[in-house]
Amino acid sequence: MARKKIIAGNWKMNMTPSEAVELVNTLKPLVANEEADVVFCVPAIDIVPVAEACKGSNIQVGAENMYFEEKGAYTGEISPNMLVDAGVKYVILGHSERRGYFGETDADINKKMHKAFEHNLIPIMCCGESLEQREQGVTMDFIRQQVKIGFQGLTADQAKQAVIAYEPIWAIGTGKTATTEQAQEVCKGIRECIAEVYDAATAEAIRIQYGGSVNAATAADLFAQEDIDGGLVGGAALKPDFGKIVNYNK
Ligand code: PGA
């Protein structure tokens, strides 16, 4: 069975709650596409008003992060059950900005992956190399490690539902999209890694996105690649252009 595309916006630290509702109302009529899952991953404080504003549309709500404990003395953190209760379906885990600025490790991300599945949240696990790693020729070694540790202990059934976002760090927010060939090559490598860790059926089912300066001009070519099942979109997800990205196939 063909994999359904998944196109997610990552709003990062943008949009106050009232701006968020306005943006949803602008984008809502532009992002209808039955052939793709459409997800808005928004700042924690925007989740409740965004979920309300998305009611009756095809937009699903995602979070940008969560903690791996249920509750307790973890000042400033958000638990999985809080997300679920607020109507969240997806959660981005291990974005390179979380890893880089907030010291998240592969082991932390693995704990979060387990927690997400315990609560029926679908993780969008990010991986991707730095420019230095690409130039040193260790891209695939590095990403295989991120994927293997991130998925450690998850069952094949869980892995089949997960989403992996391949986001080369040098392409994020830089306007420098990876070429379709570079993006396809790594997404294929990630699928091969999943086949090794699990089996061919799991590799066939798991959805792998590309992220990093995706825009309305580059989306169609990227999403047409055999191993690219959609995108994780930052900057362009905050503009009407996101409608064109979601409707890349029209
Ligand atoms: P960008 O961000 O599209 O602005 O490059 C993508 C991301 O970081 O998820």
Side-chain angles (χ1 to χ4, degrees):
M1 210 184 82
R3 292 180 295 272
K4 191 174 185 190
K5 294 276 194 259
I6 174 164
I7 300 166
N10 172 11
W11 289 14
K12 309 196 178 187
M13 198 175 74
N14 294 295
M15 300 290 138
T16 65
S18 47
E19 288 168 345
V21 170
E22 214 174 296
L23 181 60
V24 169
N25 289 334
T26 305
L27 292 179
K28 215 168 11 181
L30 307 177
V31 297
N33 181 0
E34 280 161 24
E35 287 160 60
D37 286 328
V38 178
V39 186
F40 286 11
C41 298
V42 306
I45 199 164
D46 296 342
I47 288 171
V48 170
V50 164
E52 183 62 33
C54 289
K55 273 194 185 143
S57 78
N58 63 317
I59 304 164
Q60 295 181 286
V61 183
E64 299 177 12
N65 182 31
M66 67 170 204
Y67 199 46
F68 51 72
E69 295 290 352
E70 298 288 335
K71 61 174 176 175
Y74 304 102
T75 303
E77 291 295 326
I78 308 270
S79 71
N81 52 314
M82 291 172 187
L83 297 182
V84 171
D85 189 64
V88 168
K89 300 276 184 271
Y90 290 86
V91 58
I92 298 175
L93 296 178
H95 189 280
S96 61
E97 288 149 17
R98 300 287 328 160
R99 296 174 187 262
Y101 300 138
F102 304 101
E104 283 192 23
T105 65
D106 288 326
D108 295 330
I109 293 153
N110 178 246
K111 285 188 202 162
K112 294 182 178 193
M113 294 284 284
H114 281 273
K115 262 297 161 204
F117 282 114
E118 245 178 68
H119 290 268
N120 292 318
L121 286 163
I122 299 181
I124 300 177
M125 196 197 88
C126 301
C127 59
E129 81 288 3
S130 64
L131 187 58
E132 197 182 15
Q133 287 167 326
R134 176 158 284 269
E135 286 169 353
Q136 287 169 344
V138 298
T139 295
M140 220 47 241
D141 298 310
F142 180 70
I143 290 172
R144 285 170 57 86
Q145 171 163 314
Q146 288 183 316
V147 170
K148 283 186 174 179
I149 302 177
F151 277 73
Q152 214 161 48
L154 295 178
T155 66
D157 278 346
Q158 290 171 326
K160 278 179 190 159
Q161 296 168 54
V163 178
I164 297 177
Y166 165 53
E167 299 203 310
I169 296 168
W170 48 270
I172 296 177
T174 57
K176 209 173 150 188
T177 321
T179 64
T180 46
E181 292 75 21
Q182 286 171 326
Q184 161 60 20
E185 185 186 21
V186 176
C187 290
K188 181 167 183 261
I190 292 171
R191 203 176 298 287
E192 285 165 0
C193 177
I194 292 291
E196 283 166 37
V197 174
Y198 295 97
D199 48 49
T202 307
E204 195 53 37
I206 196 167
R207 293 188 291 180
I208 305 176
Q209 299 173 311
Y210 167 78
S213 299
V214 174
N215 60 43
T218 55
D221 269 354
L222 286 163
F223 302 170
Q225 302 301 304
E226 194 179 338
D227 290 291
I228 303 181
D229 306 313
L232 183 58
V233 183
L238 301 170
K239 301 184 207 145
D241 255 17
F242 192 58
K244 295 193 191 131
I245 295 174
V246 168
N247 287 287
Y248 70 96
N249 57 341
K250 305 283 165 71

